[in-house]
Amino acid sequence: MRIALHNVVKRFKGFTALKGINLEIKDGELFTLLGPSGCGKTTTLRLIAGFYQTDGGDILFDDKIINHLPTAQRNIGIVFQNYALWPHMTVYENIAYGLKLKKMPGTEIKRKVDTSLDKVGLSGLQHRYPGQLSGGQQQRVALARALVLNPDVLLLDEPLSNLDAKVRMKVRAEIRQLQQELKITTVYVTHDQEEALTLSDRIAVMREGRIIQLGDPKSLYERPNNTFTANFIGTNNLLEAHVLKGNGDGKYTVQTAIGSFMGIANQPLSPGQKCTIAVRPENVQINSERQEANSFTGKIHFASYLGNILRYDIMTSAGILFKADIKYPWGCEVMAVGTEVKISFAEFVCLLINDRCTEEHNLTAVGGES
Amino acid sequence: MGYKWSWNVIVRSFPLLLAGAGLTIRLTCIAVGMGILIGTFVGIGRVSKNKFIFTLSSIYVNFIRGTPLLVQLYLFYFGLPALLGFPIPPFPAAILSMSINSGAYVAEIVRAGIQSIDQGQMEAARSLGMTYHQAMKYVIIPQTFKRIIPPLGNEFIAMLKDSSIVSVIALEELVRKGYLVMGRTFRSFEVWTAVAFLFLFMTFPIAQLVNFAERRLKQND
């Protein structure tokens, strides 16, 4: 089942939650709506589910407009953040209910319920009540309940947010596996960028009721076309800059408060134009022997040892903090605060972003904690 | 104070008072039973998206809750017969007014119960192919009943005490019997003490049951 949203608008009392959403979700794709709270991602999901009616635009399943089709007739499965299992029914009854409504014979129902429980690894828990299960188990039951009717579309609304870290990773992998096995078109809503990167075929980054970038995880991470995405997905060093000259092939020299840098842009820039440079901490080297296109000096301001990486906040001469990650800190000495270091990074990891929301962010401070 | 407490009065009038208490319980059980029936439908009406049903049930609830039970009783016992042209005996009049009164309070309990159920419960049901009515019947209402048991117990206690009002139309429930005994013996202190304790014997176990139910339900949530 393909899903399409054409110019979808949704208004609530006093504000517009969705300001014209355009989407094409492919058959069998796991598509993620990613953004901070209030960006409209859940509203979009609820419109697809039929819990809300659009105030403009069309929603299509394959090529059929379904704007006014009741939820019950959309053949969708939904998993909610708080599971929404029916507490007065056993696991078996929860999963079997949809099948009973379809007047399926009892033996057939039993076979289907058993198969779906087996798929989510919960065989033997048929007769428990939801209250007797752990969060992870409850969410698996919810998944089984959503999938037992063979829906055309699976909708997941922050399904992992109520689970603790270890269980979250496990269920995350299970969801992806199951989704690929069933090849079911899936819309996944989350505010967790790491979750989005690991799970998705494609991601739509949303902000204030609009989609501001759409792409596969790798392109969003490596080629953000706006500072919001650069900031929201992973961590970035963002610096205001203006273009000095073009070097051909999309490469430019720009001037920042720290000095001049060479980087690449994904759209043409002209000399004098304002832009933002974005450099990922993992692409920054400290005291490297290698000759890189860009380098400057600073002092260690703060060091955080995270196990797999060692992150330094480096204070530059212009009073701007710059983050740099040491990727294999095993056995490395942690440098003392105040140590002077040389920072360098290559031209191709220095992205030049030109977008209109530049003014809205405080780009002199480096943000975007993951 | 030279008052001499007389056990004798209580012992001799006890069968009479007990019969009164019997009628009190009977009236209350029927009224609250009917009240639950009315209140379930009206309570569902109070969350209905249908404007007509919503307005109708809201008018009913607000009218009953905004007027005294005594006035409602007079309306059914004195007012309605004047309108219809034939008398309504005290018992049906009492049952009618108490049931309709209880129905409004139960409706509010049911409405609050329905609204306390997480929205996701309904949405999950709808997404699995249930209609609004099926979802109400099989998913929302069964959960609501569990949650409204404690407030329903309280409604039962309140109605049991309020039923004393029907003594004014000469129904011989507990309070009316108290009057009768007092008139015969002039031992008002003994009589009303006995009546008070009989009420307490009826309400206290129910209150305990409500407390127990509340604790149990808290554990399950």
Side-chain angles (χ1 to χ4, degrees):
Chain A
M1 178 75 77
R2 284 172 289 117
I3 304 171
L5 273 70
H6 293 163
N7 237 329
V8 169
V9 174
K10 179 67 193 169
R11 290 184 205 94
F12 292 110
K13 271 177 212 148
F15 87 108
T16 307
L18 297 180
K19 300 165 183 166
I21 298 291
N22 286 295
L23 273 182
E24 303 272 349
I25 300 171
K26 295 173 201 152
D27 185 38
E29 183 176 39
L30 197 157
F31 191 93
T32 297
L33 301 168
L34 173 68
S37 55
C39 71
K41 56 190 191 299
T42 296
T43 303
T44 308
L45 186 95
R46 297 175 68 83
L47 280 164
I48 297 173
F51 296 146
Y52 294 154
Q53 299 293 313
T54 56
D55 292 317
D58 292 318
I59 301 173
L60 294 87
F61 278 7
D62 282 338
D63 294 315
K64 207 176 127 228
I65 293 179
I66 53 137
N67 293 359
H68 300 294
L69 196 68
T71 301
Q73 290 166 33
R74 292 192 184 194
N75 199 20
I76 51 172
I78 307 181
V79 175
F80 299 88
Q81 180 178 347
N82 61 2
Y83 326 128
L85 294 175
W86 303 318
H88 60 301
M89 298 185 194
T90 61
V91 167
Y92 183 91
E93 290 167 332
N94 262 280
I95 300 172
Y97 216 97
L99 299 169
K100 273 189 203 154
L101 283 175
K102 296 209 160 165
K103 306 234 158 45
M104 210 171 263
T107 49
E108 178 81 1
I109 292 178
K110 189 171 179 320
R111 196 182 57 75
K112 286 212 163 189
V113 174
D114 288 346
T115 317
S116 69
L117 271 175
D118 193 44
K119 270 211 179 103
V120 295
L122 289 180
S123 303
L125 296 183
Q126 281 92 326
H127 304 297
R128 300 267 190 96
Y129 282 90
Q132 298 169 313
L133 302 177
S134 71
Q137 288 173 328
Q138 288 190 50
Q139 202 53 299
R140 289 189 187 97
V141 174
L143 198 59
R145 181 177 70 174
L147 289 172
V148 77
L149 290 173
N150 291 324
D152 294 324
V153 173
L154 178 62
L155 304 175
L156 302 157
D157 187 7
E158 308 228 10
L160 306 178
S161 298
N162 282 10
L163 305 178
D164 54 54
K166 280 252 160 76
V167 182
R168 194 182 310 161
M169 300 250 250
K170 198 154 175 272
V171 179
R172 184 168 82 190
E174 287 168 7
I175 287 177
R176 181 56 165 160
Q177 232 166 25
L178 212 57
Q179 189 268 338
Q180 292 197 319
E181 192 186 312
L182 300 172
K183 296 184 173 61
I184 180 171
T185 309
T186 303
V187 184
Y188 193 102
V189 162
T190 183
H191 63 267
D192 183 333
Q193 45 95 16
E194 188 190 316
E195 208 168 287
L197 290 178
T198 38
L199 273 173
S200 318
D201 290 312
R202 285 191 305 152
I203 301 168
V205 180
M206 292 186 71
R207 180 180 188 229
E208 289 169 7
R210 289 199 175 88
I211 291 172
I212 57 169
Q213 192 171 0
L214 201 156
D216 61 83
K218 196 164 155 59
S219 72
L220 283 184
Y221 189 84
E222 295 177 8
R223 289 284 174 270
N225 66 16
N226 61 82
T227 49
F228 180 80
T229 306
N231 219 355
F232 193 76
I233 297 185
T235 307
N236 247 317
N237 291 300
L238 300 176
L239 284 171
E240 274 183 3
H242 66 266
V243 179
L244 289 178
K245 64 183 171 75
N247 306 328
D249 265 356
K251 295 172 181 167
Y252 297 87
T253 304
V254 299
Q255 184 66 46
T256 72
I258 306 176
S260 70
F261 294 118
M262 293 200 286
I264 54 165
N266 53 3
Q267 62 234 86
L269 301 170
S270 46
Q273 195 176 349
K274 279 191 175 172
C275 65
T276 305
I277 75 163
V279 184
R280 297 265 181 210
E282 68 265 29
N283 292 327
V284 176
Q285 278 123 42
I286 294 179
N287 293 337
S288 167
E289 301 287 310
R290 217 161 17 162
Q291 206 59 37
E292 296 286 11
N294 303 302
S295 72
F296 59 96
T297 58
K299 280 182 179 160
I300 303 289
H301 181 72
F302 192 74
S304 18
Y305 179 74
L306 306 173
N308 56 343
I309 60 164
L310 173 58
R311 170 163 296 173
Y312 288 113
D313 287 356
I314 296 153
M315 185 62 82
T316 63
S317 53
I320 295 168
L321 279 178
F322 209 86
K323 289 182 202 297
D325 290 350
I326 304 289
K327 269 161 282 177
Y328 307 105
W330 196 275
C332 244
E333 282 294 321
V334 178
M335 281 186 276
V337 170
T339 311
E340 186 146 322
V341 289
K342 187 187 108 182
I343 301 153
S344 56
F345 49 90
E347 184 177 29
F348 78 94
V349 300
C350 178
L351 307 180
L352 307 177
I353 298 170
N354 165 37
D355 69 348
R356 290 205 187 103
C357 51
T358 306
E359 273 80 53
E360 294 171 36
H361 292 276
N362 181 6
L363 295 171
T364 48
V366 184
E369 202 52 56
S370 55
Chain B
M1 284 200 306
Y3 195 86
K4 203 166 169 299
W5 175 269
S6 161
W7 283 106
N8 199 23
V9 171
I10 295 178
V11 171
R12 269 195 297 149
S13 60
F14 202 67
L16 209 63
L17 293 178
L18 217 53
L23 182 61
T24 293
I25 288 189
R26 209 156 59 123
L27 276 169
T28 309
C29 284
I30 298 173
V32 175
M34 300 278 287
I36 289 173
L37 205 69
I38 300 170
T40 303
F41 286 104
V42 177
I44 294 169
R46 289 272 284 160
V47 295
S48 172
K49 282 190 188 118
N50 183 318
K51 282 243 163 68
F52 179 72
I53 294 174
F54 172 79
T55 309
L56 212 63
S57 41
S58 298
I59 290 173
Y60 164 66
V61 167
N62 287 318
F63 180 81
I64 296 297
R65 297 206 317 160
T67 53
L69 175 57
L70 183 63
V71 174
Q72 292 159 20
L73 182 68
Y74 282 164
L75 259 176
F76 280 105
Y77 188 62
F78 299 120
L80 207 54
L83 189 74
L84 299 174
F86 58 84
I88 299 177
F91 189 76
I95 288 294
L96 209 59
S97 50
M98 284 170 71
S99 301
I100 287 173
N101 182 275
S102 188
Y105 287 91
V106 173
E108 281 304 273
I109 292 170
V110 170
R111 178 194 57 77
I114 291 172
Q115 287 174 341
S116 77
I117 306 288
D118 178 61
Q119 201 189 356
Q121 294 283 320
M122 169 62 90
E123 288 169 351
R126 298 299 296 279
S127 71
L128 289 166
M130 286 191 215
T131 63
Y132 178 85
H133 294 281
Q134 283 172 324
M136 267 289 176
K137 195 166 152 196
Y138 299 116
V139 175
I140 307 297
I141 301 295
Q143 291 185 58
T144 306
F145 270 115
K146 197 178 129 186
R147 284 195 197 181
I148 65 176
I149 288 170
L152 277 183
N154 290 330
E155 163 62 14
F156 188 88
I157 293 171
M159 189 40 84
L160 193 120
K161 292 185 290 177
D162 285 350
S163 70
S164 58
I165 278 178
V166 303
S167 61
V168 301
I169 57 167
L171 264 183
E172 296 193 354
E173 45 66 71
L174 184 50
V175 170
R176 183 77 187 173
K177 292 285 192 202
Y179 273 116
L180 294 178
V181 174
M182 187 177 64
R184 214 178 295 161
T185 62
F186 303 106
R187 303 294 296 197
S188 50
F189 186 55
E190 283 84 349
V191 170
W192 294 118
T193 305
V195 168
F197 271 96
L198 275 171
F199 268 110
L200 194 62
F201 284 138
M202 293 189 279
T203 55
F204 190 70
I206 302 167
Q208 290 308 104
L209 223 67
V210 169
N211 281 343
F212 175 74
E214 257 170 11
R215 276 200 305 275
R216 275 295 296 274
L217 293 176
K218 225 175 238 160
Q219 280 167 12
N220 282 1
D221 277 347

